[in-house]
């Protein structure tokens, strides 16, 4: 209830505060659909970006929680594991060489890129002295593999954009990660993917609880370990890929939120996943407000704000001697 109340308050704050200072009358006029005057028009534009920030935050947080559950890796996050950057590269290549222009095409391509990047990171992390073995994919090796793949994919994006002045400006702005260009038309294309990803992710909660006990115990409890991992991973990839298609790669939401929620609710995924969705929405809406207010009359993209929050948290987790068990 506290998270839902916080989200409602922040949603109101998000339409009331921004780079342009507006009065109460402008807020009321903007919320009732009026766009006459700069004030009401500014408020009307803040409504879709608030909705997109909430949806993206929920999706990325659940994606991170599912990834941490599937891999039993406290460092798992769509950004750290290279999933977001894989989605970003696929979209950039699609725009540059195949003329993609619709939100739906971005989403499909982004999901494909996210899946390919996730498979590549897991394969690299699983390589050991005796060859490929799943048990070799330790949390630290996954994080290092994800960082290396992310850096390589970012370089490919730069190489793709280099010399393409017609798309360079838009791609570079999108690559930072933000919700400023939100509109309800593109969000309509995103909703089915988020609904499927969130639905499958939440339905995987019981299986993730079993996987947390270890593969042998999970199998002993009647769980099909490979199928459970595959279904849950697909949900996490759909959520991260589809969100990245519209917002650009926003990192650290999926890392920070599940750890914070575990301190409140414990590690039961039946509570962890829905509460992470609410908390992720709260974090991204709050980060978007902060990015608009602290740099007036300009604004800071929400991807930069989440990086400022998440990077110290990531270092804290890495340096922590005993990470809370997943």
């Amino acid at each position: 209830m506290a998270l839902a109340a916080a989200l409602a308050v922040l949603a109101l704050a998000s339409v009331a505060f921004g780079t342009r200072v507006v009065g109460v009358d402008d807020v009321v006029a903007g919320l009732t659909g009026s766009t006459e005057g700069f004030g009401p028009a500014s408020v009307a534009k803040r409504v879709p970006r608030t909705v997109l920030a909430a949806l993206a935050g929920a999706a990325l947080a659940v994606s991170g929680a599912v990834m941490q559950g599937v891999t039993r890796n406290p460092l798992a996050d769509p950004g750290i594991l290279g999933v977001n950057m894989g989605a970003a590269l696929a979209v950039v290549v699609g725009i540059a060489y195949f003329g993609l222009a619709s939100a739906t095409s971005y989403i499909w391509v982004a999901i494909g890129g996210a899946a390919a990047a996730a498979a590549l990171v897991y394969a690299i992390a699983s390589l050991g002295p005796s060859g490929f073995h799943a048990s070799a994919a330790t949390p630290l090796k996954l994080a290092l593999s994800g960082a290396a793949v992310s850096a390589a994919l970012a370089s490919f994006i730069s190489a793709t954009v280099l010399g393409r002045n017609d798309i360079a400006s838009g791609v570079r702005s999108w690559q930072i990660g933000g919700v400023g260009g939100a509109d309800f038309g593109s969000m309509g294309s995103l909703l089915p993917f988020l609904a499927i990803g969130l639905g499958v992710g939440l339905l995987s909660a019981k299986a993730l609880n079993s996987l947390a006990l270890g593969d042998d115990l999970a199998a002993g409890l009647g769980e099909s370990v490979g199928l459970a991992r595959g279904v849950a991973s697909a949900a996490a990839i759909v959520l991260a890929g589809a969100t990245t298609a519209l917002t650009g790669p926003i990192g650290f939401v999926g890392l920070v939120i599940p750890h914070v929620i575990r301190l409140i609710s414990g590690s039961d995924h039946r509570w962890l996943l829905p509460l992470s969705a609410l908390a992720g929405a709260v974090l991204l809406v709050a980060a978007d407000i902060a990015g608009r207010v602290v740099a007036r009359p300009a604004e800071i993209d929400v991807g930069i704000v989440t990086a400022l929050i998440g990077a110290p948290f990531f270092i804290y987790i890495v340096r922590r001697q005993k990470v809370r068990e997943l």
Side-chain angles (χ1 to χ4, degrees), residues 200-227:
V200 174
L202 294 174
L203 290 174
S204 301
K206 182 174 176 292
L208 292 173
N209 283 342
S210 299
L211 292 175
L213 301 174
D215 289 0
D216 292 339
L217 275 176
L221 292 171
E223 199 67 59
S224 175
V225 174
L227 179 63

Side-chain angles (χ1 to χ4, degrees), residues 72-194:
R72 289 193 289 165
N73 180 352
L75 304 179
D77 167 83
I80 293 173
L81 296 187
V83 175
N84 287 353
M85 200 56 73
L89 175 61
V91 172
V92 170
V93 170
I95 294 172
Y97 298 112
F98 300 99
L100 298 185
S102 70
T104 302
S105 62
Y106 290 170
I107 293 170
W108 278 112
V109 168
I111 291 172
L120 177 61
V121 169
Y122 190 75
I124 294 173
S126 300
L127 291 175
S130 58
F132 182 87
H133 199 283
S135 62
T138 63
L140 187 57
K141 287 181 68 176
L142 278 170
L144 292 174
S145 301
V149 170
S150 290
L153 296 179
S155 298
F156 283 128
I157 291 175
S158 298
T160 303
V161 174
L162 193 65
R164 291 294 306 270
N165 293 330
D166 54 329
I167 65 170
S169 177
V171 167
R172 284 177 184 143
S173 176
W174 170 82
Q175 194 179 351
I176 296 172
V179 293
D183 63 82
F184 285 121
S186 59
M187 272 189 280
S189 302
L190 177 66
L191 286 177
F193 294 91
L194 295 192

Side-chain angles (χ1 to χ4, degrees), residues 1-15 49-58 274-287 289:
M1 290 296 293
L3 286 172
L7 180 58
V9 171
L10 285 169
L12 288 174
S14 180
V15 297
R49 75 181 291 167
T50 301
V51 175
L52 180 58
L55 291 174
L275 291 178
S276 292
L278 276 174
V282 167
L283 174 62
L284 214 58
V285 172
I289 296 171

Side-chain angles (χ1 to χ4, degrees), residues 2 47 50 54 86 114 117 128 133 147 152 165 172 190 197 214 219 235 250 279 290 294 296 314-315:
V47 175
T50 301
H133 199 283
N165 293 330
R172 284 177 184 143
L190 177 66
I250 298 175
V294 301
R296 284 172 175 167
F314 175 74
I315 295 170

